[in-house]
Amino acid sequence: MIASVKGTRDLLPPETRVWNRVEAAAREVFALYGFDEIRTPALEATELFVRSVGESTDIVHKEMYNFTDRGGRSLTLRPENTAGVARAYVEHALAQAGRPWKLYYIGQQFRYERPQKGRYREFRQIGAEVLGPADAATDAELLVMLFDFLGRLGFTGLSVSLNSVGTEATRPAYVEAIRSFFSSNEKTLGDDDRRRLAENPLRVLDSKDPAVQDLVASENFPRMVDLLPTLDPAADAHHRELKALLVASKVPFKENPLLVRGLDYYTRTVFEVTAAGLGAQDAILGGGRYDKLVADLGGPRTPGIGFAIGEDRLVDILPEKFRKEAIEGARRVAVIPLERADVGESMTLAESLRKDGILVDLVTAAKGPGHGLKVAKKTGAALAILLGQEEREKGIVNVKDLARRTQESLPRLGLAAALRARL
RNA sequence: GUGGGAGUAGCUCAGUCGGUAGAGCGUCGGAUUGUGGUUCCGAAUGUCGCGGGUUCGAUCCCCGUCUCUCACCCCA
């Protein structure tokens, strides 16, 4: 047997119904906010991720599926989708349109990691990006849209963690402050945190080491939000305006001065939503502003902000009501011809019912009515229509309610309406 | 890349102190050839994850490996 490759999985019915409903809700909500879909290739030049996601990240130096193609090009299966969107923005000179671009995507991403709960090598993300505007209202609107979407899925009690990590201009000063703080506490740092401090200092704020967590939570630990008013008054004003807008829009958020993001391109606003029930991988979505990314990719200096939702994780903790409704879906009718001679008539009947908008599953190859009913029940039909010689001659059908175990004879004329009343 | 747990029938699992395996559910056939879910009878399940070692003999012990799973790392 050939099995699916490590860290990938098949999504089978009826689970695919749930995924489809989630994606349909995303498309619906995002459209309401003026977003359009963008589809970028799963395969990109390796250089794209090196320059955007950043060489200091694990994603780039050990988690990418990259290979050299037959033409000698270094290609990579995208580990995230923001870089691809930014690349397309530059490549197609979208800046020339003189308008903000509000884009969303739904698609597979690939990272070569050890799989665990909520973490796969092939996973799906639903994301949105706004390219152009840099004002706080853009950030706020994006989060309003996000919670509109989450609310539609039935999530309650979720809240977004919010922080500002400053800009490219202020980052070095902040990193310096972090390093000097730890210079006196270096011995409490483990190997991982020592490495972080050297390679990607902001990540130390994310440490799971209790001793380090205590230090980071202590009063004299430098926090970006505290430094912002002096280091970068504009970013500080942006941050404060965003918070005010979120309060006004009733977006549930919590300030978290220790929140940082793993990707190098984030500036100013960063946010994350975590949820219970996902084990150690508890972030269902993350995002932030990336005001320098487009310029880094050779485009015109264009600010941007976006989020990416881990669809696999989202589906994993989806409220039961939404999941149930998606799986049960529209109620269906099974049409069961009793004999071979009844198949033609059954197909005609099925077609006419479908024209009236009824979901019909024609059960062919049934070995007798008993077997046909069994199959109908197993495929989840609500009603079963039995059609044989006797029914054909009388111009009726026998309709069984599979849940109630009742049967009644109904005339062929006006059958669709009669069925709809029973579905 | 590191560490823990697990791999036996389609599914959930039991079992053999080393003598090539069983239950329930499901599937298939029949009782009932135009009416299912109840009941009864019968049948098929499977290189016991894969490879090697020890042994007269390994599903069981040992080693390796793969996959799943949880955690670290990292992140959605």
Side-chain angles (χ1 to χ4, degrees):
Chain A
M1 184 185 70
I2 299 171
S4 65
V5 319
K6 180 172 179 161
T8 71
R9 55 188 184 150
D10 299 308
L11 300 174
L12 305 173
E15 190 66 8
T16 43
R17 293 185 191 174
V18 177
W19 285 72
N20 278 325
R21 284 286 276 266
V22 167
E23 289 165 17
R27 293 175 193 285
E28 219 173 288
V29 173
F30 296 169
L32 288 174
Y33 287 79
F35 282 67
D36 274 298
E37 184 177 9
I38 181 170
R39 301 192 190 194
T40 66
L43 212 48
E44 296 273 8
T46 300
E47 182 64 13
L48 173 63
F49 304 111
V50 173
R51 279 168 59 178
S52 58
V53 175
E55 266 174 298
S56 70
T57 64
D58 271 19
I59 290 179
V60 168
H61 75 249
K62 65 178 222 204
E63 295 175 3
M64 293 204 305
Y65 273 98
N66 51 33
F67 64 95
T68 304
D69 76 0
R70 288 164 191 271
R73 292 169 275 258
S74 178
L75 303 182
T76 293
L77 246 26
R78 63 182 180 204
E80 58 101 51
N81 219 141
T82 299
V85 171
R87 193 221 80 238
Y89 181 87
V90 174
E91 184 167 344
H92 303 287
L94 297 187
Q96 295 300 312
R99 50 161 284 195
W101 287 91
K102 300 182 181 181
L103 304 166
Y104 74 86
Y105 59 83
I106 298 174
Q108 279 103 319
Q109 318 295 333
F110 305 85
R111 289 181 201 172
Y112 190 87
E113 300 180 271
R114 280 282 286 269
Q116 69 183 71
K117 187 172 178 60
R119 196 173 74 181
Y120 306 95
R121 289 184 170 182
E122 179 194 38
F123 60 102
R124 293 132 187 106
Q125 285 187 334
I126 298 175
E129 316 283 351
V130 180
L131 289 147
D135 59 319
T138 297
D139 300 20
E141 264 259 297
L142 190 73
L143 290 169
V144 169
M145 179 174 87
L146 181 59
F147 275 84
D148 193 345
F149 171 58
L150 294 173
R152 236 177 253 227
L153 302 182
F155 283 104
T156 54
L158 289 181
S159 146
V160 59
S161 298
L162 186 71
N163 195 19
S164 176
V165 293
T167 61
E168 182 199 5
T170 58
R171 189 77 59 86
Y174 186 49
V175 166
E176 200 35 60
I178 293 174
R179 287 209 170 109
S180 77
F181 173 84
F182 280 112
S183 63
S184 52
N185 299 294
E186 222 179 321
K187 52 198 172 299
T188 54
L189 293 177
D191 289 346
D192 281 334
D193 287 316
R194 230 176 275 266
R195 182 178 50 76
R196 285 191 180 111
L197 200 57
E199 292 173 10
N200 200 348
L202 292 191
R203 300 298 303 169
V204 177
L205 311 215
D206 250 358
S207 178
K208 288 185 183 171
D209 183 337
V212 177
Q213 281 177 344
D214 283 349
L215 281 176
V216 161
S218 70
E219 253 183 53
N220 23 0
F221 184 80
R223 298 169 161 201
M224 194 57 171
V225 282
D226 298 331
L227 300 175
L228 229 40
T230 48
L231 278 179
D232 189 342
D236 182 56
H238 180 97
H239 191 57
R240 281 186 293 129
E241 187 186 350
L242 171 57
K243 286 187 287 182
L245 289 168
L246 292 178
V247 169
S249 307
K250 298 193 167 60
V251 170
F253 74 95
K254 281 191 294 264
E255 273 203 88
N256 178 1
L258 301 180
L259 177 69
V260 290
R261 312 273 323 141
L263 281 52
D264 281 359
Y265 54 62
Y266 286 115
T267 54
R268 302 203 282 178
T269 307
V270 293
F271 55 88
E272 186 173 278
V273 173
T274 58
L278 283 168
Q281 310 302 317
D282 60 355
I284 57 173
L285 68 93
R289 183 159 273 294
Y290 45 86
D291 292 336
K292 202 168 155 283
L293 176 59
V294 172
D296 283 347
L297 293 176
R301 180 148 188 116
T302 308
I305 183 169
F307 62 75
I309 303 169
E311 194 177 0
D312 302 74
R313 294 179 185 179
L314 188 73
V315 168
D316 197 36
I317 57 162
L318 210 51
E320 197 46 45
K321 182 166 178 283
F322 187 93
R323 163 177 296 279
K324 190 165 177 283
E325 283 172 7
I327 287 178
E328 285 171 3
R331 312 240 298 157
R332 286 175 298 132
V333 175
V335 171
I336 307 169
L338 295 183
E339 308 281 347
R340 276 224 165 280
D342 306 315
V343 169
E345 183 89 10
S346 298
M347 287 182 71
T348 309
L349 174 65
E351 275 309 299
S352 84
L353 292 176
R354 287 172 188 140
K355 282 198 180 100
D356 280 316
I358 292 174
L359 282 66
V360 181
D361 184 15
L362 186 66
V363 179
T364 60
K367 287 166 285 198
H371 183 245
L373 287 166
K374 204 170 175 184
V375 170
K377 180 81 176 175
K378 285 194 181 193
T379 54
L383 300 176
I385 292 176
L386 296 165
L387 184 58
Q389 188 183 358
E390 199 182 314
E391 288 82 355
R392 279 194 284 143
E393 284 165 1
K394 291 184 182 166
I396 59 158
V397 290
N398 278 313
V399 178
K400 251 187 191 300
D401 185 312
L402 291 167
R404 295 206 193 93
R405 306 175 66 173
T406 55
Q407 178 171 321
E408 56 188 326
S409 292
L410 296 175
R412 289 279 295 271
L413 210 61
L415 183 60
L419 290 177
R420 196 169 284 115
R422 287 162 177 78
L423 280 171

